Amino acid sequence: MAEPLNLDGFRGLVDDKLCTIEASCNTGFEFLVLEEVKEMLGCEGRCHRGRVIFDINTEDVPKTLKLRTVNNLWVLVGHTGKFSYPAESEDQLISLADYAESLPWDKALQVWKDVMKFKGTVIKEDKDTKVDDVPSFRCSCYRTGSNHKFKSSEAQISVGGRIHDIFGWNVKMKDYDLEVVMNCDIDQVYVTIALTNKALFNRTLSHLGFLCLKPTVCACLVRFAKIEPGDVVLDPMCGGGSIP
């Protein structure tokens, strides 16, 4: 089971000018992501297995898409390390939906809108008014631990249904505009919005597809080798030449 997020010292959930970003990477390369985040964005972060957490100014979030060592990005909506699950499965699902409804969504949704350059209406001024240009969305749930009496799919339905009631977004399981992700473990629950509907390692793949090494892994290997401009690299196992 993955360790709970350590958000000590991070202010993205309480400071209107900051937001907290979760960036995923291949396990073992976390320290290289931290290095790139510091070098490119000027942000201090913290490593967790397969991911890195850092705060960034809200107006600078689009710059995170230029990180070459990360696979996916999410902006945190809310986090608790002391979630108390009721005894019954139905009550657990209701409590998760209640938690999602209680969160302050506005800042994270504005960040998503800016990053995705979405031109429609994300937050309606009047919840009873029908608007045609709302985003389509899906809700995903990832969970670990033995104290859950619900399936991930059931949590997706419960939380996703509540979000639909709040915002009036259109449900769409594929080719959606927006993805809400709820992560649950024994005591921790946190909600994020995906800033990458497709993994960033797809950015530069034009040939061979999944037969070649992921460009994000290539970037990590090049950074780990501390290659400088003008250096000559001899790669006897270059394969398809993923590392140019």
Side-chain angles (χ1 to χ4, degrees):
M1 184 173 68
E3 75 218 83
L5 293 186
N6 179 4
L7 296 183
D8 291 345
F10 291 109
R11 296 190 53 78
L13 294 178
V14 296
D15 190 325
D16 290 340
K17 296 181 179 180
L18 298 173
C19 62
T20 302
I21 299 296
E22 179 182 25
S24 69
C25 64
N26 290 78
T27 303
F29 290 145
E30 297 88 352
F31 72 102
L32 296 170
V33 175
L34 274 184
E35 182 181 283
E36 186 184 23
V37 166
K38 174 65 175 178
E39 179 184 300
M40 180 179 292
L41 305 175
C43 302
E44 298 290 345
R46 181 173 293 134
C47 287
H48 290 269
R49 187 174 65 184
R51 53 192 169 162
V52 167
I53 308 296
F54 60 93
D55 277 347
I56 187 171
N57 291 328
T58 54
E59 65 268 21
D60 292 333
V61 176
K63 296 178 182 178
T64 61
L65 296 180
K66 297 181 180 179
L67 292 169
R68 301 184 67 183
T69 57
V70 305
N71 293 326
N72 288 284
L73 295 159
W74 299 265
V75 57
L76 267 68
V77 180
H79 172 276
T80 177
K82 298 180 180 179
F83 192 84
S84 179
Y85 289 98
E88 301 301 324
S89 59
E90 183 176 349
D91 293 333
Q92 289 186 358
L93 293 171
I94 293 173
S95 68
L96 289 173
D98 288 343
Y99 174 69
E101 183 175 1
S102 71
L103 297 177
W105 288 84
D106 291 18
K107 180 174 66 174
L109 287 173
Q110 186 60 52
V111 167
W112 172 84
K113 187 174 182 179
D114 293 342
V115 170
M116 296 298 191
K117 299 179 180 179
F118 184 76
K119 302 300 183 183
T121 302
V122 178
I123 301 175
K124 297 187 295 183
E125 294 183 5
D126 183 356
K127 294 182 180 180
D128 295 326
T129 301
K130 291 186 177 181
V131 180
D132 294 331
D133 60 351
V134 296
S136 60
F137 89 106
R138 67 164 289 159
C139 179
S140 301
C141 177
Y142 301 102
R143 61 187 184 88
T144 55
S146 58
N147 58 330
H148 305 146
K149 294 185 178 180
F150 57 88
K151 299 177 181 178
S152 296
S153 58
E154 294 173 328
Q156 292 167 186
I157 293 170
S158 178
V159 176
R162 185 71 63 87
I163 291 172
H164 170 74
D165 292 341
I166 296 169
F167 297 108
W169 301 334
N170 302 314
V171 177
K172 194 175 183 182
M173 302 308 292
K174 295 182 179 180
D175 299 323
Y176 46 83
D177 297 313
L178 186 154
E179 182 182 20
V180 175
V181 180
M182 173 168 277
N183 297 273
C184 309
D185 63 22
I186 296 176
D187 299 309
Q188 172 185 248
V189 173
Y190 69 101
V191 177
T192 65
I193 297 174
L195 299 178
T196 49
N197 288 342
K198 290 186 178 180
L200 293 176
F201 58 71
N202 289 305
R203 285 175 296 188
T204 55
L205 286 178
S206 58
H207 301 287
L208 300 178
F210 293 106
L211 295 178
C212 63
L213 194 62
K214 292 178 181 178
T216 49
V217 174
C218 296
C220 287
L221 293 175
V222 170
R223 179 172 285 273
F224 186 60
K226 300 187 182 301
I227 297 171
E228 298 293 338
D231 287 351
V232 176
V233 179
L234 300 178
D235 185 1
M237 302 178 69
C238 67
S242 299
I243 301 178

